[in-house]
Amino acid sequence: MIPTEQIRALMDLPGDPGRTRVVAAMSGGVDSAVAAALARQAGVDVVGITLQLYASDAPARRKGACCAGQDIQDARLAAAQIGIPHYVLDYTERFRTSVIEDFASSYVRGETPVPCIQCNQTVKFHDLLGAAKDLGASALVTGHYIRRIAGPAGPELHRAVDATRDQSYFLFATTRAQLDFVRFPLGGFPKSETRTMASARGLGLADKPDSQDICFVPDGRYSDIVQKLRPGAIEPGDIVDLSGRVLGQHEGVINFTVGQRKGLGVSHGEPLFVVRIDAARRQVVVGPRGALATRQIWLRDLNWLDAQAPCDEARPVLARVRSTRQPVRAEIRQVDGRVGVTLLDPEEGVAPGQACVLYDSRDEARMLGGGWIVRGEAAVAA
């Protein structure tokens, strides 16, 4: 069992623990349950809250999905085992407008969205955080694998100790104000230790499988969701090569993403990959693998946690363009009011709609911030 004083240090909560209240976001999984249990061991007043993101007949009740009906029951049972009150907030409408609708619109624009980031950015770290403050809480505790560390200019976000579980990519949009309020007690532990802590506390979730894929997409068929929400926006078009020559037809740009090789439906003398999607022209542009190499990325909606904001002078950073990729050497700068990231080592499959998350080149664990990818270019513009 981890000593209580160590847990209190992890929580970094102000004031007397006996007079401090926190809200624990409980998804129904083992991670959030253990985070709530650690907060309870720290001696603070813990209120467990689970968000209902779907109607009772939602398709995401399949095995391996998060935020399903069974998860609410699992969270309620875990709260009872920990000995804390538990409440369910109906956020189905907020989730639909903030996450699902945006997901559909993004695909129609030819992008490849990351709805988990949207969920953290809107429903969890905005709406739920506001609810926690309304309840008089001093902090919101979650089971994310990321570390909140005190820095010279305030709290910083660092990658998790367990690199296989690190969720910093999905939390790049956490603002400085939110960082003052949220706590991540699991960032310093491997997942195996989390399950051990759950077992030691008698939590029935100790062996529950992790959630997989996008929670609101039934059977992984995201195109079904898009077609249901945007039926008039799905139109057939051409598959063309880099010179514009038509190679075949497709049934909608939503069925493709940059870097895709399989399922193109065209034959060629060499393997072809999706290089670009032009939704306005309803074109899927394909080419050889070498055409996927990207050196320049342009970002929108930059969220920056470091005290020194990007300027016209290049700053060395490490950039991660996909959640499954390792960060690569890069430089960030402001160019005519736009934020540009130059990859010193080209990356393949850089897709608009994905996030580019940036880390300190001198302290590779420290996250500086990030933004949404607008487009990538094969070479730095002159």
Side-chain angles (χ1 to χ4, degrees), residues 177-199:
Q178 291 167 347
L179 189 52
D180 286 334
F181 196 77
V182 294
R183 298 295 187 273
F184 310 103
L186 300 186
F189 302 104
K191 179 63 177 250
S192 58
E193 178 64 18
T194 298
R195 293 195 182 279
T196 298
M197 288 189 284
S199 180

Side-chain angles (χ1 to χ4, degrees), residues 303-319:
N303 181 60
W304 199 249
L305 297 176
D306 189 58
Q308 181 181 352
C311 60
D312 56 0
E313 182 178 347
R315 173 178 176 175
V317 293
L318 296 173

Side-chain angles (χ1 to χ4, degrees), residues 8 13-22 39-40 42-46 135-139:
R8 288 177 177 170
L13 297 172
D16 179 5
R19 299 182 179 181
T20 301
R21 168 177 288 177
V22 304
R40 183 70 184 90
V44 299
D45 175 21
V46 183
L135 289 172
S138 299

Side-chain angles (χ1 to χ4, degrees), residues 208-257:
K208 183 176 180 178
D210 295 331
S211 59
Q212 300 172 359
D213 302 321
I214 300 173
C215 61
F216 58 87
V217 179
D219 303 320
R221 294 175 57 87
Y222 62 85
S223 60
D224 291 349
I225 295 291
V226 180
Q227 289 174 330
K228 179 179 179 181
L229 296 176
R230 302 289 186 273
I234 313 304
E235 297 180 297
D238 295 328
I239 299 175
V240 303
D241 64 14
L242 296 173
S243 67
R245 182 168 59 97
V246 176
L247 303 179
Q249 281 71 46
H250 64 77
E251 296 181 356
V253 296
I254 66 168
N255 297 304
F256 301 88
T257 186

Side-chain angles (χ1 to χ4, degrees), residues 69-242:
Q70 182 59 46
D71 289 324
I72 295 177
Q73 302 303 321
D74 291 343
R76 180 177 289 119
L77 177 59
Q81 293 172 326
I82 296 168
I84 60 174
H86 177 261
Y87 301 95
V88 179
L89 300 184
D90 185 354
Y91 276 21
T92 53
E93 182 61 22
R94 301 185 193 193
F95 186 75
R96 184 187 66 80
T97 57
S98 299
V99 180
I100 300 179
E101 292 285 349
D102 184 82
F103 173 85
S105 297
S106 184
Y107 261 114
V108 170
R109 293 193 299 266
E111 300 174 345
T112 305
V114 191
C116 292
I117 297 178
Q118 285 288 100
C119 185
N120 289 327
Q121 185 178 18
T122 57
V123 176
K124 292 179 181 176
F125 285 2
H126 182 271
D127 297 336
L128 178 57
L129 189 147
K133 289 184 177 180
D134 290 342
L135 289 172
S138 299
L140 173 66
V141 177
T142 83
H144 290 100
Y145 284 86
I146 192 170
R147 291 178 293 156
R148 178 185 182 275
I149 295 178
E156 302 172 347
L157 282 178
H158 288 238
R159 297 168 68 182
V161 169
D162 186 346
T164 65
R165 305 299 305 179
D166 174 56
Q167 292 175 293
S168 59
Y169 181 88
F170 299 101
L171 295 169
F172 86 84
T174 306
T175 66
R176 292 184 184 179
Q178 291 167 347
L179 189 52
D180 286 334
F181 196 77
V182 294
R183 298 295 187 273
F184 310 103
L186 300 186
F189 302 104
K191 179 63 177 250
S192 58
E193 178 64 18
T194 298
R195 293 195 182 279
T196 298
M197 288 189 284
S199 180
R201 288 167 171 76
L203 298 178
L205 298 172
D207 297 321
K208 183 176 180 178
D210 295 331
S211 59
Q212 300 172 359
D213 302 321
I214 300 173
C215 61
F216 58 87
V217 179
D219 303 320
R221 294 175 57 87
Y222 62 85
S223 60
D224 291 349
I225 295 291
V226 180
Q227 289 174 330
K228 179 179 179 181
L229 296 176
R230 302 289 186 273
I234 313 304
E235 297 180 297
D238 295 328
I239 299 175
V240 303
D241 64 14
L242 296 173

